[in-house]
Amino acid sequence: MGKKVGVLLSGCGVFDGAEIHEAVLTLLYLDQNGAEIVCMSPDMPQAHVINHLTQQEMKGETRNVLVESARIARGNIKNLKDVKAGDIDALILPGGFGAAKNLSEFAFKGPMGNVQPDVKRLIDEMLDAKKPIGAICIAPATLGMAAKEKKPEMTIGKEEQVIGAMNAIGVKHKVCAVDEIAVDAKNKIVTTPAYMLGPGIKDVAKGIEKLVKQIISMI
Amino acid sequence: MGKKVGVLLSGCGVFDGAEIHEAVLTLLYLDQNGAEIVCMSPDMPQAHVINHLTQQEMKGETRNVLVESARIARGNIKNLKDVKAGDIDALILPGGFGAAKNLSEFAFKGPMGNVQPDVKRLIDEMLDAKKPIGAICIAPATLGMAAKEKKPEMTIGKEEQVIGAMNAIGVKHKVCAVDEIAVDAKNKIVTTPAYMLGPGIKDVAKGIEKLVKQIISMI
């Protein structure tokens, strides 16, 4: 029996959902390393829909986070509200703005905004159970908001505004290159900057592969 | 200067667009092998929109193939009508039902249906210029329809109905495992079954990596 690793998706597309490359690379390296994948996503409307060609909002259009996440998961996905920490051995949050728009209010209200209730619940359960959590790209913002009482150490790229926001809620920031990971051994939290730094898919793949291997080794 | 390889996307999601894993793995291996990636897609409505959670059609909803493909390309994508064979050294078509619903009418009308005009034009230009073309999963159906006068040899999984349809228009079928490729050296056409066989992302990745390397070696 492989180790069960949850992948928490936030939609399908970098500007309003889960970053597709980061999500697929997470699935690739989990499968290559023998993990059983459990995709999940909250059943709720997206914060908004962005036209990825023009980067403009598609006013009046609504999409559901779970339904769009199902595109990345090829339909094999659970409703987040039905997933408990007891169901999985570890959890990984790929990035994309959806992680900071749908899984929390970070993109709109900063680090004092709310975390989506089931995201907060599952992260709390994972921390209590001392099960490892990985977060990629901008997803450490939401993880940091949920886990701030643990004062985790994480990497979240190099934008001073983002780093400052995380510091303000007690997150320690570690500078990492795109092919590196930050490991908070005490809290079992692993992060990598991915497309916060880029530049290309082969670069972000290196950090994500390391993150997946580290997460599996901490189970 | 890297070799320029076009990636022809047909939307974003296995049931109505490009298969996301196959598309992302194509981009990964192109980047890892030093190619310059040129994503492209036709600017036209999708044949329909499928809810990937329920696999039911979302009646009344319309999406644009180019706009949805831009999600996989992170916005860095060209309108197919503006791309000529002279702009690229090779072309790859990832699979997903979009390749057989939006790039041609294969899924609705079989191999005697039409190929989208700009898809047909670019494939014809590539064949005339003796530039290599790769096709993944169900995409060989559309490629075979466009290139049928060349009587290409391709692989397209193991479903007898699909193989029979391709044979009927003069395509020779070669049985391949998911980690194998079919190489038609005369026509410079390379195919791999990917999710026509599956079962998982690590399996389809093997065939796609081989396909990308073969395509680059034929430039």
Side-chain angles (χ1 to χ4, degrees):
Chain A
M1 288 287 289
K3 294 166 177 175
K4 282 190 183 177
V5 180
V7 178
L8 175 49
L9 298 171
S10 59
C12 180
V14 55
F15 300 123
D16 58 16
E19 208 298 310
I20 292 173
H21 301 190
E22 294 170 1
V24 171
L25 292 168
T26 300
L27 302 179
L28 174 67
Y29 297 124
L30 284 172
D31 196 25
Q32 286 184 344
N33 286 280
E36 184 181 336
I37 295 163
V38 182
C39 289
M40 66 192 75
S41 188
D43 182 8
M44 57 181 274
Q46 292 185 188
H48 55 194
V49 182
I50 301 290
N51 176 318
H52 279 55
L53 192 62
T54 63
Q55 293 196 35
Q56 300 300 304
E57 185 178 349
M58 298 170 87
K59 299 272 188 191
E61 182 152 353
T62 58
R63 296 188 185 183
N64 178 287
V65 180
L66 176 60
V67 170
E68 298 309 315
S69 296
R71 293 178 175 270
I72 294 175
R74 297 168 48 84
N76 187 8
I77 190 164
K78 292 182 188 295
N79 188 329
L80 172 63
K81 77 173 172 55
D82 298 328
V83 181
K84 311 276 182 284
D87 301 327
I88 52 177
D89 300 306
L91 178 67
I92 299 177
L93 287 70
F97 278 106
K101 289 178 172 177
N102 300 322
L103 303 188
S104 77
E105 298 175 321
F106 180 80
F108 304 112
K109 298 185 180 176
M112 300 309 290
N114 289 315
V115 177
Q116 197 275 350
D118 275 308
V119 174
K120 171 72 173 151
R121 172 192 57 76
L122 184 58
I123 289 172
D124 283 346
E125 289 176 11
M126 297 297 288
L127 291 168
D128 286 349
K130 301 199 183 305
K131 293 184 175 182
I133 308 174
I136 296 166
C137 189
I138 192 68
T142 293
L143 176 57
M145 289 161 69
K148 62 187 176 186
E149 290 172 14
K150 303 286 187 182
K151 300 197 180 304
E153 180 175 274
M154 307 195 299
T155 192
I156 193 164
K158 62 181 181 184
E159 286 177 37
E160 286 186 16
Q161 195 184 352
V162 176
I163 295 170
M166 300 316 296
N167 287 340
I169 58 168
V171 171
K172 282 165 277 184
H173 186 261
K174 185 179 175 191
V175 175
C176 282
V178 69
D179 61 348
E180 294 178 328
I181 54 175
V183 180
D184 178 338
K186 177 166 161 282
N187 291 307
K188 289 194 175 181
I189 286 175
V190 185
T191 47
T192 188
Y195 276 116
M196 291 300 282
L197 298 180
I201 186 170
K202 75 172 189 294
D203 309 298
V204 307
K206 291 178 190 170
I208 293 170
E209 184 171 18
K210 283 183 189 171
L211 179 142
V212 167
K213 288 182 173 176
Q214 179 67 35
I215 287 288
I216 289 176
S217 76
M218 291 172 111
I219 293 174
Chain B
M1 288 285 291
K3 293 164 177 174
K4 283 190 182 176
V5 180
V7 178
L8 176 49
L9 298 172
S10 58
C12 179
V14 56
F15 300 123
D16 59 15
E19 208 297 310
I20 292 173
H21 302 188
E22 294 171 1
V24 171
L25 292 168
T26 300
L27 302 179
L28 174 67
Y29 297 124
L30 284 172
D31 196 25
Q32 285 184 344
N33 286 279
E36 183 180 337
I37 296 163
V38 181
C39 288
M40 66 192 76
S41 188
D43 181 9
M44 56 182 274
Q46 292 185 188
H48 55 196
V49 181
I50 302 290
N51 177 318
H52 280 55
L53 191 63
T54 63
Q55 293 196 34
Q56 299 301 304
E57 184 178 349
M58 298 170 88
K59 299 272 187 193
E61 183 152 352
T62 58
R63 296 188 186 182
N64 178 288
V65 181
L66 175 60
V67 169
E68 297 310 314
S69 296
R71 293 178 175 270
I72 294 174
R74 297 169 47 83
N76 187 9
I77 191 165
K78 291 181 188 299
N79 187 329
L80 173 61
K81 79 173 172 56
D82 298 328
V83 181
K84 311 276 182 285
D87 301 328
I88 53 178
D89 300 307
L91 178 67
I92 299 176
L93 287 71
F97 279 107
K101 289 178 174 178
N102 300 322
L103 303 188
S104 77
E105 297 175 322
F106 181 81
F108 305 112
K109 298 185 180 176
M112 301 308 290
N114 290 314
V115 177
Q116 197 276 350
D118 275 307
V119 174
K120 172 70 174 152
R121 172 193 57 78
L122 183 59
I123 290 173
D124 282 347
E125 289 176 10
M126 297 297 289
L127 291 168
D128 286 348
K130 302 199 182 308
K131 292 183 175 183
I133 308 175
I136 297 166
C137 189
I138 191 67
T142 292
L143 177 58
M145 289 161 69
K148 62 185 175 187
E149 290 172 15
K150 303 286 187 182
K151 301 197 180 305
E153 181 174 274
M154 308 194 299
T155 192
I156 192 163
K158 62 181 182 184
E159 285 178 38
E160 286 185 14
Q161 195 183 352
V162 176
I163 294 169
M166 299 317 296
N167 288 340
I169 57 167
V171 171
K172 282 164 276 185
H173 186 261
K174 185 181 175 187
V175 175
C176 283
V178 69
D179 61 348
E180 294 177 330
I181 55 175
V183 180
D184 177 338
K186 178 167 161 280
N187 291 307
K188 289 194 175 181
I189 286 176
V190 186
T191 48
T192 189
Y195 277 115
M196 292 299 284
L197 298 179
I201 186 169
K202 75 173 190 292
D203 309 298
V204 306
K206 290 178 191 169
I208 293 171
E209 183 170 18
K210 283 183 189 171
L211 179 142
V212 167
K213 287 182 173 175
Q214 179 67 35
I215 287 288
I216 290 176
S217 76
M218 292 171 110
I219 293 174

